[in-house]
Amino acid sequence: MVEVGGNGRIWLLSGEHSSYALRLTRHDELLHLHWGPRLALADAEALAAEPPQRFRSFESRLDGREEYPVEGGPRFVRPALSVRAADGGGGRGSEWEFRGAETDDEVLRLTFRDPVHRLGVTLHYRMRAGSDVLERWATAVHEGGPGDPALDLLRLDSAAWTLPRADRRRLSHLHGRWAAESLLARAELTPGETVIGSRRGHTSHRHLPWVALDDGTAGEEHGEVYGCALAWSGSWRIAVQQLDDGVVQAVGGAGHDDSGLVRLAPGESYTAPVFAGLYTGGGFGAASRAWHAWQLAHVVPDAHTPRPVLYNSWEATKFDVELDHQRELARRAASMGVELFVVDDGWFGARTHAKAGLGDWTPNPDRFPEGLKPLADEVHGLGMHFGIWVEPEMVNPDSDLYRAHPDWVHHRPDRRRTEFRHQLVLDLGRPEVRTYLWEQLDELLRSAPIDYVKWDFNRSLTEPGAHTDPSLPHVQGLYGLLDRLRAAHPHVAFESCSGGGGRIDLGILSRTDQVWTSDNTDPLDRLPIQHGIGQIHPARVTAAWVTDSPNEQMQDRVSSLRYRFVSAMAGVLGVGGDLARWSGEELAEAGRWVELYKRIRPAVQLGRLYRLREPQEGLSAVQYVLGDDPERADEVVVLAWLQAQRYNESLPPLRLAALDTAAEYEVLAGGEPGEVLRGAVLAHRGLRTGLHGDLDATVVHLRRR
Ligand code: DGJ
């Protein structure tokens, strides 16, 4: 809901439990008023009417108070906007004149103009009904005419988020590396700046574009938590600044540096990605649930359709893709109840190893002499959907595509072409590259009944641009290509992969159906990765596979199928082991786990998440809840894992959340009602897990009677 007061110069946006207020001074300065619990318009007006603070020399009266700090004037904070004319005229600072406001039920748009640079800037705010996530972004347009110099947007962030003053601030974020992505880090914020981001041209394994801030006292289910997340899949930056007076401001947007994001010719415009913010008074758990609900409602396509259980052949075959072996894997996968069979890397061109074939998206004639259709038909005949792996943005120098178009890759003519994994990156900013990829992929999707595409991206961008960030047109091109493919093939689902979790963000998630969380499929290592990514993204989008044990990455750890399945059930379940080597007993047991997963899937993928115990040593657990009343769960699923038990240690019961304490819950065993437990006992004493020993795990499925 958007309300306007103060003679049209105060705006209040309210969500389910929170409000956000801002005002315009008579000097056209746009000041932040409030972000936190719900306010009435009269409260926002009272805040705006307070006499201004006194400022002394060396103190800025705007720093930490503005909605969108620009470079220049009495400001010393990190600016969200820095612009200069390509010919250097007009300097770099900006001064704004207010042009006007537009509002509807959910959206506020405020437009300004810098008369010297002839740059129009619009700040957008959108608070959707039923949510507390406020979406913010900015657009810039070169309003000059023919003959005016181009404008270099050195930086144009999506938004600046200002938190109320507190004695302390603590920063949570997700960091990691390949095969250990999305690990939660939580530390005291100190005066100065903390910067996270990616200079790699993709979101990267190092950080996910999300931060949370609290006053150091919030817990899983209590306390005020602020969060910000960026919807962008190229290079990016979020800078969290703690200013002299304790005010904390977070600015974020596309591009990592301030040296040139995009160049606008007269008439051209740039729209920054959404940088969303969320306030909750209910702790980190409520923050995650609010992020999840918003993504399921407004970001992820068709999010209320549960994702199928898939089989992926990568860990079983690597590049040795062979038709009869794939058939055998498919038969075995079908026998265990798998719903989607995916052939990974190695089915196309000369791709029998990592050094060749990327770029040539036609089936390898030795491996698939009649194309993919016979295998796809066979997979469909087994009752499964059929999927394939592609990595369209890449090319091996040893490929027909590269031999024909060596200039299509990101490169500088006078420099070496940097290779990783023997591959170069096609420049998707170029229309002819996008056209080629569109034709290849469209043709591929028409050549066989393909239901699913795993879209991989296995290296970072390395060649810097001249004036602008090359990842910006690349990612815009990628988004356009994905949108076009989705529109032309609406029945095809897409997975975003980047060597595991190198491209997970709200931008890619608005045009893909799920993401490959990590190349690390070890079930114990996965728990903290899942704990981290679940801070922001729902289980509905985070794929997890059960693979062989030991597997290639973790040669020294052996775990039971039970442990591996229960670990992977905390996401979109998949199987990725070499099924040809699984015994009849293992296949039968796996089938029972798949069956159980299908029963709990609505709660896991679409329910509300409560983290009962963090994945540190010992016992950890999560709970998923279904039901219209958030305080009286209709259906509950608990997944619990025991890493290792100490001698004579008795494990604590798990106190369940969101239960109807006046009701009874029956344990569904094999889908059938069994033991009956009292809601109050489960909530106040807790659920006994029965776990013991090392690497044990369990699933408890409860339904309210
Ligand atoms: C990296 C992915 O994360 C893996 O799952 C697999 O698809 C390989 N690429 C294939 O090259």
Side-chain angles (χ1 to χ4, degrees), residues 314 344-345 351 389 421 454 456 458 497 499-500 516 519 545:
W314 174 245
D344 208 280
D345 201 349
R351 187 74 168 171
W389 177 97
R421 211 195 190 206
K454 173 177 172 184
D456 209 342
N458 278 302
C497 173
W516 179 221
D519 273 347
W545 305 343

Side-chain angles (χ1 to χ4, degrees), residues 37-51:
R38 265 191 92 120
L39 291 187
L41 186 59
D43 303 320
E45 287 174 332
L47 277 175
E50 285 183 349

